[in-house]
Amino acid sequence: MIYTFKFQDQIYRINLEDGKQTEVEIDGKKFPVCFQKIDERFYSILIDGESIGVGILKKGKKVEVFLNGELYEFESISERERQSTSAIISGVQQIKSPMPSRVVKILKNVDEAVNEGEGVIVIEAMKMESELKSPINGRVKEVKVKEGSAVESGSVLIVISSE
Amino acid sequence: MIYTFKFQDQIYRINLEDGKQTEVEIDGKKFPVCFQKIDERFYSILIDGESIGVGILKKGKKVEVFLNGELYEFESISERERQSTSAIISGVQQIKSPMPSRVVKILKNVDEAVNEGEGVIVIEAMKMESELKSPINGRVKEVKVKEGSAVESGSVLIVISSE
Amino acid sequence: MFNKILIANRGEIAVRIIRACRELGVKTVAVYSDADRRSLHVAMADEAYHIGPPAPGESYLVIKKIIDVAKHSGAEAVHPGYGFLSEKEAFADACEKEGIVFIGPSPEAIRLMGDKITARKIAQGAKVPLVPGSEGAVTDVEAVGIAKKIGYPVMIKASAGGGGKGMRLVRKQDEFESSLRMARSEARSAFGDDSVYVEKFIEQSRHVEIQVIGDSHGNVLHLFERECSIQRRHQKVIEESPSPAIRDKMRKKMGEVAVRIAKAVSYRGAGTIEFIMDQKENFYFLEMNTRIQVEHPVTEMITGFDIVKWMIRIAAGEKLLLKQKHISMKGHALECRVYAEDPEKNFLPSPGKLEYVRSPSGPGVRDDSSIYSGYEVTSFYDPMLSKLIVWADTREEAIKKMDSVLREYIVLGVRTNIGFLRRVMGNDEFIRGEIDTGFIERHPELLKSNGNGIELALIAAALAIRNSTKEEVETATQAKVSNWKLFARKLAVSGKIAI
Amino acid sequence: MFNKILIANRGEIAVRIIRACRELGVKTVAVYSDADRRSLHVAMADEAYHIGPPAPGESYLVIKKIIDVAKHSGAEAVHPGYGFLSEKEAFADACEKEGIVFIGPSPEAIRLMGDKITARKIAQGAKVPLVPGSEGAVTDVEAVGIAKKIGYPVMIKASAGGGGKGMRLVRKQDEFESSLRMARSEARSAFGDDSVYVEKFIEQSRHVEIQVIGDSHGNVLHLFERECSIQRRHQKVIEESPSPAIRDKMRKKMGEVAVRIAKAVSYRGAGTIEFIMDQKENFYFLEMNTRIQVEHPVTEMITGFDIVKWMIRIAAGEKLLLKQKHISMKGHALECRVYAEDPEKNFLPSPGKLEYVRSPSGPGVRDDSSIYSGYEVTSFYDPMLSKLIVWADTREEAIKKMDSVLREYIVLGVRTNIGFLRRVMGNDEFIRGEIDTGFIERHPELLKSNGNGIELALIAAALAIRNSTKEEVETATQAKVSNWKLFARKLAVSGKIAI
């Protein structure tokens, strides 16, 4: 069966076949794999003798894999989703809070022009302040928060349009 | 509510009262307790400021508590059970395997006389041999295993009767 | 020795102090905020008392609450750890007034060294070179003037600062104003004091510090240096001892200078004299930290000297048993601070629940941490997960050990800097010891994974999806021996399709 | 250096060796039986291959299977660990024939020292005193005669023995016959060889051993002694270095003797010369172990010498860099072997699933283990869970540290000796260093918990029962400060009713 994942905006497909033992297809060849749970989230995988110890966290369609110090965040997608996905190119950019934080200062107001790389808002989390910058040249279309308000991770703070 | 436990053949009772916060009764006085799960089986208990970190495993009516290096194995019993329990004094003793093991040698046959402290069977586990001894003077009533057979923990190996 | 000590802190340092107390046969009292009921220091202490809401300003920083718990629990002394009240003169003072021993220097020493400007004067008095800069706290207008005078780049620093908070590097004049504003704002929220001073920024400088410890009988020892040049956002990430840049003669000189400064304020307890060192091996006094440092373990590893235990003994009136000549060092120690943060996003903190933690272990490995599977990293406190310390015979071996130990670490649920730390361990400049405080800025390529493990990770993800219904365990299959090697091949992905 | 090493072992020592290889940049190949698919050495190695059923005789002890995996995986060398094939001449021989480097001594050295009787002759030749006993393997009849001649108590020992297997202490003649039978039977099943010899048993003796290491260039160093007198069933439980009974002069003498024995067999790699020491500080040669020992970490902790890494380097042809005069020791190290066993039932193994493990950590602590929550302790292998090693400045501090570290340990699901080990740490004789191999036998009171914690444990059990439906988390309540102290009171149990 083919498994499809999104990783950093790219699509990867991988074929696992269940027979007398599971096999993974690589370069058209098939190699035996053995997947063994060790404890709650630690797994041992043997791929034709090659051994990896790996942490795996599955949360709905998201799969976090921690391997040799690196975290990989995959999104499992169905074949149908994959085929209908296309890049949404748009001149509207949302500035989102990358983490739970507090809005310290709004640097740009609605309708103000902004340049690419220019700061638009200052947030604070864990006593550290960060300035979020505009990824495009444009104009502030909407300011969705107030100074002092607490925001969730992923909340849209400011919307910028390239006009 | 009163909780009753058996620990090493003795009965203990303890009173926990649920109010605005849980209290434990000690010497007729009540003290606030706070029970907090930390991870899977590790708990923090605060008894009026006194702190203990403790491992707890609940398996049906058995409760294992690991505290400061010591393991306590409790059996939770209902009030009814407690009242009907009485010592079963009997001249019949079962020699049980204390662990999964292999029978190496049976030293006494059916109807053979045995003295208290005399070895009746040799078992082996983890490459170590152990001789199990009769706790009473008597005669072998039944031999339930054969040399070389594998036995579970708690299996009755030999039954001895004081006649 | 004391019977009971209150630990006015949380996290790994509270756990560290509890362990020291246990070894000394001293009972411990923990305090905790609402966010810390599940923290390990609470479960490990002999007593624990709640002191308020998560915000430090309403719990760990409230002197009265700490003093009240100390008095009610009968604690004879208080260990402040680092951060929080550790360098607050008012706290040391309040303890003294209540007859509780403050495990640290006198309020006077804290005051003198706590104000960065007074500290500079003391160092000057002890004939220690200083970095050019403002004579004291400055107004906005003065600040701009001084920056112009000494020339860019300059550093804006909080007078009450520490730990990189309220600190900003400014390279060009047109960045000065916004940096000044942010430094003041951070300083105000971190220390309740927004006064700042301005210093010349020394390019390619190293941050080297000397650990000192003094008793109440006038003895002061130094325990050699720590190199703390690998920094991000002006906060140390990797520390080591000895410094690869310092030779014995210089080590001796810096040690003597540090002892001189400590003696100038009759220093008692553990403290650190921080220096900045330029490429020509000139060193300048930066500041003194009048408390235990986050990075103290590297010193403990090479000297065998238990700094925390000795802080407590000294506070109890004991004399330092060793003389300077008895202190020796052996091998090399490295510390990595493992953070819940995202190196790809400018090291932005990544709070959340640690869904799973698998900590490394082994010979020569020390893991000072207080996390566990299920621990919640909140945004109220520092997102440090653990201090991973290794010891080995040589620096080269220590680096290899650290890399191999980091490889054992597994953290799920939040982003961490573990991959970044491994990439530093593999960096040639770092391996050669050619480091300075600009190291990370100079190596943006270290911030991002090279993606080498993607193929294996994908196989793992696919297997996890497939097995998610039959979560338990697959029947163990016999791996056949073949010559196929995965790493030499590419995955048969059906093309990489950008969306 | 090698590119790839096969580790012909399992459990903590396999993990220890994998870590050493990683630090040396060497790839690792693990082997595993059906019982070990979930063992950590499999997940941590770079490659892993299945070699058969759980019984060692069908997997870890099958030379052909190990050699086949080595050849197929391209491993250039094999590290045997301890136990299993580590002291089998035939294995070292087979490796040599196949062009695979055996990480250990020559087959010849294994053969000479592996036969306890030949070993005694070599020691005699090197003018090392021997314990009175039989000249070689004995028949049942001869055994009885020799025992009578040298006088009881005597020890019956397997010629091919090690690790306490096939060993029996006999105090009276009427116990001799059954003990002889059991010793032979154990020896047969453990080593496939039931020949035994008989030795005088020295009362109140200490077990002291010297670590040696030799390279293939004729250099042999010793790394001081280990005291291993705390034993149960003739197996070491607690080890330390240095020995509290040995002064510098004696240390030097024993070291020289040990090096002499090692040189007599052109010893290469790590080995241990075991001595028995009586109360008058006479020492007698016992045997040589031609492999890494379980207790090697205590030596590593006081010397900073990584024995496992050096075994590998030496096997790769490297020369020992240090001379004897460069080897020094610092501080004191203790090791406790944490077992799944029941001290109250004569230390009977307690196999089963580790429902939960919480391992200790902290400064000066090393936990060599391969267990985790969910690990299954099977009856196929040794029930050791972990080796807990601590280092501190002095023996007294090391004991306190060990006690405090053991207190952090939590294991649910099987019985362990953790409480017993803590009681030893609190024993006055042990603290004074007055130990010998009869220590545990002399202190039956240490086998059983004093029950001090029962009240608190009961409260915990009651809370667990109450909360078993609402398993999640109780709302954190604010503990009020009061003067009530639990430990000073008794529980209001309604009388203790024996049933």
Side-chain angles (χ1 to χ4, degrees):
Chain A
M1 183 179 163
I2 289 175
Y3 297 84
T4 307
F5 293 97
K6 193 165 94 176
F7 175 68
Q8 294 181 345
D9 289 346
Q10 294 201 313
I11 300 292
Y12 296 84
R13 301 176 75 199
I14 185 151
N15 188 13
L16 289 182
E17 290 202 6
D18 275 310
K20 226 179 86 194
Q21 68 176 45
T22 309
E23 292 185 313
V24 61
E25 188 183 322
I26 295 164
D27 274 354
K29 284 179 195 152
K30 286 173 186 159
F31 300 94
V33 290
C34 172
F35 184 63
Q36 175 67 54
K37 190 171 186 173
I38 307 276
D39 68 15
E40 210 190 339
R41 303 206 194 281
F42 185 55
Y43 295 81
S44 165
I45 298 175
L46 298 180
I47 309 165
D48 200 24
E50 206 85 28
S51 165
I52 57 170
V54 64
I56 304 176
L57 174 65
K58 222 184 128 289
K59 267 188 182 169
K61 299 176 72 178
K62 307 260 184 186
V63 186
E64 279 188 18
V65 175
F66 198 99
L67 172 66
N68 289 338
E70 305 286 356
L71 181 69
Y72 301 86
E73 289 171 305
F74 296 108
E75 191 183 330
S76 170
I77 57 181
S78 68
E79 199 58 10
R80 179 189 303 240
E81 282 171 318
R82 192 184 69 78
Q83 282 163 6
S84 69
T85 307
S86 64
I88 300 154
I89 298 158
S90 149
V92 178
Q93 292 287 336
Q94 298 178 327
I95 308 296
K96 290 178 185 173
S97 175
M99 49 185 298
S101 56
R102 197 176 58 83
V103 176
V104 175
K105 196 162 179 61
I106 291 161
L107 304 174
K108 296 284 174 184
N109 296 317
V110 172
D111 277 326
E112 221 175 324
V114 286
N115 293 322
E116 187 188 326
E118 199 177 0
V120 290
I121 191 165
V122 179
I123 59 166
E124 188 220 42
M126 291 174 178
K127 289 195 268 169
M128 205 219 31
E129 295 190 12
S130 306
E131 202 177 75
L132 303 182
K133 298 174 165 62
S134 173
I136 51 170
N137 292 326
R139 199 169 286 278
V140 174
K141 211 179 148 196
E142 204 178 346
V143 175
K144 298 207 155 206
V145 288
K146 285 180 184 160
E147 289 184 4
S149 52
V151 291
E152 296 291 330
S153 173
S155 301
V156 176
L157 308 176
I158 286 184
V159 182
I160 297 163
S161 161
S162 62
E163 293 163 285
Chain B
M1 184 179 161
I2 289 176
Y3 296 84
T4 307
F5 293 97
K6 194 165 94 176
F7 175 68
Q8 294 179 345
D9 288 347
Q10 295 200 312
I11 299 293
Y12 296 84
R13 301 176 75 198
I14 186 153
N15 187 14
L16 291 182
E17 289 201 8
D18 276 311
K20 228 179 86 193
Q21 69 178 45
T22 309
E23 292 185 311
V24 61
E25 188 182 321
I26 296 165
D27 275 353
K29 284 180 194 151
K30 287 173 187 157
F31 300 95
V33 290
C34 172
F35 185 63
Q36 175 68 53
K37 190 172 185 173
I38 307 277
D39 68 15
E40 209 190 339
R41 305 206 193 281
F42 184 54
Y43 295 81
S44 164
I45 298 176
L46 298 180
I47 309 166
D48 199 23
E50 206 85 27
S51 165
I52 57 171
V54 63
I56 303 177
L57 174 64
K58 223 185 127 291
K59 268 188 181 169
K61 299 175 72 177
K62 307 260 183 186
V63 186
E64 278 186 19
V65 175
F66 198 100
L67 172 65
N68 289 337
E70 305 286 357
L71 180 69
Y72 301 86
E73 287 171 306
F74 296 108
E75 191 183 330
S76 170
I77 56 181
S78 69
E79 199 59 11
R80 181 188 302 241
E81 281 171 315
R82 191 184 69 78
Q83 282 163 4
S84 68
T85 308
S86 64
I88 298 154
I89 296 157
S90 152
V92 178
Q93 291 288 333
Q94 298 178 328
I95 308 295
K96 291 177 184 171
S97 176
M99 50 187 298
S101 54
R102 195 176 59 82
V103 176
V104 175
K105 197 164 177 60
I106 291 162
L107 303 174
K108 295 285 174 182
N109 295 316
V110 170
D111 277 325
E112 222 174 323
V114 288
N115 293 321
E116 187 188 326
E118 200 176 355
V120 290
I121 191 166
V122 180
I123 58 167
E124 189 221 41
M126 293 174 177
K127 288 195 268 166
M128 203 217 34
E129 296 190 11
S130 305
E131 201 177 73
L132 304 182
K133 296 176 167 63
S134 172
I136 51 169
N137 291 327
R139 200 169 286 277
V140 174
K141 211 178 148 194
E142 206 178 345
V143 176
K144 299 207 156 203
V145 288
K146 284 180 188 161
E147 288 184 4
S149 52
V151 291
E152 296 291 331
S153 173
S155 300
V156 177
L157 309 176
I158 286 183
V159 181
I160 296 164
S161 161
S162 62
E163 292 164 286
Chain C
M1 185 44 64
F2 307 111
N3 288 311
K4 199 186 275 183
I5 288 176
L6 184 147
I7 295 133
N9 216 303
R10 62 175 301 285
E12 69 85 20
I13 193 64
V15 169
R16 167 76 183 92
I17 297 164
I18 289 170
R19 285 179 173 142
C21 289
R22 283 185 175 186
E23 291 173 38
L24 292 168
V26 176
K27 294 269 174 200
T28 52
V29 179
V31 290
Y32 63 95
S33 76
D34 287 334
D36 275 332
R37 176 63 187 91
R38 288 178 69 216
S39 290
L40 284 189
H41 72 288
V42 176
M44 286 178 71
D46 295 301
E47 297 175 40
Y49 300 97
H50 177 259
I51 50 163
E58 299 177 64
S59 48
Y60 296 106
L61 285 171
V62 183
I63 292 175
K64 192 186 174 312
K65 288 186 177 183
I66 307 288
I67 298 277
D68 280 353
V69 173
K71 284 164 75 178
H72 282 100
S73 65
E76 302 149 64
V78 173
H79 197 306
Y82 52 70
F84 294 136
L85 296 171
S86 61
E87 294 184 288
K88 292 263 186 274
E89 180 199 358
F91 182 56
D93 221 33
C95 288
E96 210 169 74
K97 285 207 180 77
E98 297 288 349
I100 298 160
V101 177
F102 176 80
I103 300 175
S106 64
E108 176 71 2
I110 297 176
R111 187 180 59 75
L112 293 172
M113 288 302 180
D115 185 82
K116 304 305 164 200
I117 294 143
T118 313
R120 279 170 65 97
K121 282 179 188 151
I122 290 167
Q124 216 159 18
K127 309 238 177 289
V128 183
L130 295 173
V131 178
S134 64
E135 287 295 308
V138 285
T139 63
D140 287 9
V141 176
E142 287 168 350
V144 179
I146 284 163
K148 241 182 218 162
K149 203 182 96 192
I150 59 179
Y152 288 90
V154 301
M155 287 294 279
I156 304 171
K157 293 184 177 181
S159 300
K165 303 250 158 59
M167 198 185 276
R168 278 289 188 285
L169 166 62
V170 190
R171 294 205 166 270
K172 291 178 296 190
Q173 178 145 8
D174 61 1
E175 290 166 1
F176 192 84
E177 205 176 333
S178 74
S179 296
L180 184 62
R181 178 175 47 74
M182 292 225 262
R184 282 206 199 273
S185 161
E186 267 182 43
R188 195 181 313 116
S189 81
F191 317 109
D193 174 1
D194 70 354
S195 59
V196 298
Y197 61 106
V198 177
E199 258 181 19
K200 174 81 185 161
F201 175 71
I202 295 175
E203 295 281 0
Q204 285 200 278
S205 64
R206 288 174 182 264
H207 177 113
V208 178
E209 59 190 29
I210 303 282
Q211 174 73 53
V212 296
I213 188 160
D215 63 20
S216 49
H217 307 275
N219 304 300
V220 179
L221 298 174
H222 75 85
L223 303 173
F224 312 116
E225 82 282 7
R226 290 185 289 259
E227 159 96 50
C228 313
S229 299
I230 307 290
Q231 305 187 347
R232 55 115 185 76
R233 296 199 319 246
H234 311 301
Q235 277 189 334
K236 302 160 190 168
V237 187
I238 299 170
E239 299 103 340
E240 60 187 300
S241 186
S243 162
I246 292 184
R247 282 161 299 181
D248 277 348
K249 208 176 143 187
M250 178 122 177
R251 174 169 298 122
K252 197 159 171 278
K253 192 176 163 196
M254 291 178 83
E256 284 164 3
V257 162
V259 168
R260 210 153 67 219
I261 295 173
K263 284 192 169 170
V265 292
S266 304
Y267 198 78
R268 183 187 65 212
T272 299
I273 319 286
E274 298 195 329
F275 296 101
I276 192 166
M277 213 172 91
D278 69 17
Q279 292 288 306
K280 289 164 194 147
E281 300 194 23
N282 299 308
F283 62 90
Y284 308 94
F285 173 78
L286 212 56
E287 62 178 38
M288 177 168 190
N289 290 318
T290 57
R291 51 163 167 86
I292 189 78
Q293 299 272 94
V294 175
E295 61 271 24
H296 75 276
V298 292
T299 300
E300 295 185 329
M301 299 293 269
I302 62 151
T303 61
F305 189 100
D306 191 316
I307 299 171
V308 175
K309 275 204 223 170
W310 272 105
M311 287 178 82
I312 297 168
R313 290 189 182 120
I314 285 166
E318 289 185 29
K319 248 187 186 165
L320 282 165
L321 286 175
L322 298 173
K323 303 276 167 212
Q324 190 64 53
K325 63 179 175 190
H326 298 128
I327 309 283
S328 63
M329 61 185 196
K330 183 170 187 172
H332 199 97
L334 268 176
E335 174 179 284
C336 280
R337 301 192 193 183
V338 177
Y339 283 103
E341 65 182 19
D342 190 346
E344 292 188 37
K345 290 184 182 162
N346 194 26
F347 300 99
L348 204 67
S350 172
K353 188 177 171 191
L354 306 183
E355 298 285 353
Y356 180 75
V357 176
R358 185 171 170 73
S359 299
S361 178
V365 178
R366 170 173 165 184
D367 178 30
D368 275 24
S369 84
S370 61
I371 59 167
Y372 52 83
S373 296
Y375 180 81
E376 186 87 26
V377 181
T378 73
S379 50
F380 296 111
Y381 313 115
D382 191 66
M384 189 170 75
L385 300 179
S386 113
K387 294 168 4 189
L388 203 51
I389 306 112
V390 301
W391 181 95
D393 232 17
T394 63
R395 185 170 189 270
E396 193 193 341
E397 286 191 78
I399 292 172
K400 283 184 184 160
K401 191 184 280 279
M402 182 61 88
D403 180 61
S404 130
V405 163
L406 286 166
R407 191 176 150 193
E408 287 189 22
Y409 225 129
I410 295 184
V411 179
L412 291 166
V414 301
R415 297 223 143 243
T416 72
N417 63 343
I418 295 170
F420 164 75
L421 293 167
R422 284 199 73 195
R423 278 169 249 133
V424 174
M425 294 302 134
N427 177 276
D428 286 338
E429 275 180 34
F430 179 78
I431 290 169
R432 288 196 304 267
E434 292 165 7
I435 51 180
D436 58 67
T437 54
F439 177 86
I440 292 178
E441 214 168 80
R442 200 162 61 243
H443 290 287
E445 79 282 4
L446 298 176
L447 302 184
K448 212 172 147 45
S449 165
N450 59 16
N452 271 351
I454 174 79
E455 288 85 358
L456 290 174
L458 261 176
I459 295 175
L463 287 164
I465 293 286
R466 197 204 53 165
N467 276 42
S468 53
T469 46
K470 39 173 176 165
E471 188 62 284
E472 255 321 275
V473 156
E474 187 183 352
T475 40
T477 56
Q478 289 189 219
K480 273 175 296 183
V481 177
S482 90
N483 292 321
W484 174 82
K485 289 291 145 278
L486 184 76
F487 293 100
R489 310 226 173 192
K490 284 181 185 165
L491 266 195
V493 296
S494 65
K496 295 186 178 179
I497 306 157
I499 56 168
Chain D
M1 185 45 64
F2 307 111
N3 288 311
K4 198 186 275 185
I5 288 176
L6 183 147
I7 294 132
N9 217 303
R10 62 176 300 286
E12 69 84 18
I13 193 65
V15 169
R16 167 77 184 91
I17 297 164
I18 289 169
R19 285 179 173 142
C21 289
R22 283 186 175 184
E23 291 173 38
L24 292 167
V26 176
K27 294 269 176 201
T28 52
V29 179
V31 290
Y32 63 96
S33 75
D34 287 334
D36 275 331
R37 176 64 187 90
R38 289 178 68 215
S39 290
L40 284 188
H41 71 287
V42 175
M44 286 178 70
D46 296 300
E47 297 175 41
Y49 299 97
H50 177 257
I51 50 163
E58 299 176 66
S59 49
Y60 296 106
L61 284 171
V62 183
I63 292 175
K64 192 186 172 313
K65 289 187 176 181
I66 308 289
I67 297 277
D68 280 354
V69 172
K71 285 164 75 177
H72 283 99
S73 65
E76 302 149 64
V78 173
H79 197 307
Y82 53 70
F84 294 137
L85 296 171
S86 62
E87 294 183 286
K88 292 263 186 273
E89 181 198 357
F91 182 57
D93 222 33
C95 288
E96 209 169 74
K97 285 208 180 77
E98 298 288 350
I100 299 161
V101 177
F102 176 79
I103 300 175
S106 65
E108 176 71 359
I110 296 176
R111 187 180 59 74
L112 292 172
M113 286 303 179
D115 185 80
K116 302 306 162 199
I117 293 144
T118 314
R120 279 170 65 96
K121 282 178 190 152
I122 291 167
Q124 215 159 19
K127 309 236 176 293
V128 183
L130 294 173
V131 178
S134 63
E135 286 296 307
V138 284
T139 63
D140 286 9
V141 176
E142 286 169 351
V144 178
I146 283 162
K148 240 181 219 166
K149 203 181 98 188
I150 60 179
Y152 288 91
V154 301
M155 287 294 280
I156 305 170
K157 294 184 176 180
S159 300
K165 303 253 159 57
M167 197 184 278
R168 279 289 188 286
L169 165 63
V170 191
R171 295 206 166 268
K172 289 177 297 187
Q173 178 146 8
D174 61 0
E175 290 167 0
F176 192 83
E177 206 176 332
S178 73
S179 297
L180 184 60
R181 179 172 50 71
M182 293 225 261
R184 284 208 198 271
S185 162
E186 267 182 44
R188 195 182 312 117
S189 80
F191 316 111
D193 174 0
D194 70 354
S195 58
V196 298
Y197 61 106
V198 178
E199 257 181 19
K200 175 80 185 164
F201 176 71
I202 294 174
E203 295 281 1
Q204 285 200 281
S205 63
R206 287 173 181 267
H207 177 114
V208 177
E209 59 190 29
I210 303 283
Q211 174 73 53
V212 296
I213 189 159
D215 64 20
S216 48
H217 308 273
N219 305 301
V220 179
L221 298 175
H222 74 85
L223 303 173
F224 313 116
E225 81 283 5
R226 290 186 289 259
E227 160 95 51
C228 313
S229 298
I230 307 289
Q231 306 188 346
R232 56 114 186 76
R233 295 199 321 246
H234 311 301
Q235 278 189 333
K236 301 159 191 168
V237 187
I238 299 170
E239 298 102 340
E240 60 187 300
S241 187
S243 162
I246 292 183
R247 283 162 298 181
D248 277 349
K249 208 176 145 188
M250 178 123 177
R251 173 170 298 122
K252 196 159 172 277
K253 193 177 163 194
M254 290 178 83
E256 284 164 3
V257 163
V259 168
R260 209 153 67 219
I261 295 174
K263 285 194 168 168
V265 292
S266 304
Y267 198 79
R268 183 187 66 210
T272 299
I273 319 285
E274 298 196 329
F275 297 101
I276 192 165
M277 214 172 90
D278 68 17
Q279 292 288 304
K280 288 164 195 149
E281 298 194 25
N282 299 306
F283 63 90
Y284 307 95
F285 173 77
L286 212 56
E287 62 179 38
M288 176 167 191
N289 290 317
T290 56
R291 51 163 167 87
I292 188 79
Q293 300 271 93
V294 175
E295 60 271 24
H296 75 277
V298 291
T299 300
E300 295 186 328
M301 299 292 269
I302 62 152
T303 60
F305 189 100
D306 191 317
I307 299 172
V308 175
K309 274 204 221 169
W310 272 105
M311 287 179 82
I312 297 167
R313 290 190 181 119
I314 285 167
E318 289 186 29
K319 249 188 186 164
L320 280 165
L321 286 175
L322 298 173
K323 304 278 168 211
Q324 190 66 52
K325 63 179 175 192
H326 299 128
I327 308 284
S328 63
M329 60 185 197
K330 185 171 185 171
H332 198 97
L334 267 176
E335 174 179 284
C336 280
R337 301 193 192 182
V338 177
Y339 283 103
E341 65 182 19
D342 190 346
E344 292 188 39
K345 289 184 184 165
N346 195 27
F347 299 100
L348 205 67
S350 172
K353 188 176 171 193
L354 305 183
E355 298 285 355
Y356 180 76
V357 176
R358 186 171 171 73
S359 299
S361 179
V365 178
R366 170 173 167 185
D367 179 29
D368 275 26
S369 84
S370 60
I371 58 168
Y372 51 83
S373 296
Y375 180 81
E376 186 87 26
V377 181
T378 73
S379 49
F380 296 111
Y381 314 115
D382 191 65
M384 189 170 75
L385 300 179
S386 113
K387 292 166 6 186
L388 202 51
I389 305 112
V390 301
W391 180 94
D393 232 17
T394 63
R395 184 169 189 271
E396 193 192 341
E397 285 191 78
I399 292 172
K400 282 184 185 159
K401 191 184 280 279
M402 182 61 88
D403 180 60
S404 129
V405 162
L406 286 166
R407 190 176 151 193
E408 286 189 23
Y409 225 129
I410 294 183
V411 178
L412 291 165
V414 301
R415 295 223 143 241
T416 72
N417 63 343
I418 295 171
F420 164 75
L421 293 167
R422 283 199 74 195
R423 278 169 250 135
V424 174
M425 293 302 134
N427 177 275
D428 286 337
E429 274 179 36
F430 179 79
I431 291 168
R432 288 197 303 266
E434 292 164 7
I435 51 180
D436 59 68
T437 53
F439 177 85
I440 292 178
E441 214 169 79
R442 202 163 59 242
H443 290 288
E445 79 281 4
L446 298 176
L447 302 183
K448 213 173 147 43
S449 163
N450 60 16
N452 271 351
I454 173 79
E455 289 85 358
L456 290 173
L458 261 176
I459 295 176
L463 287 164
I465 292 285
R466 197 203 55 166
N467 276 43
S468 52
T469 45
K470 39 172 176 168
E471 189 61 286
E472 256 321 276
V473 156
E474 187 183 354
T475 41
T477 57
Q478 290 190 218
K480 273 174 298 184
V481 178
S482 89
N483 292 319
W484 176 79
K485 288 292 146 277
L486 184 75
F487 293 99
R489 308 229 173 188
K490 284 183 188 164
L491 268 193
V493 296
S494 66
K496 295 186 179 179
I497 306 157
I499 56 167

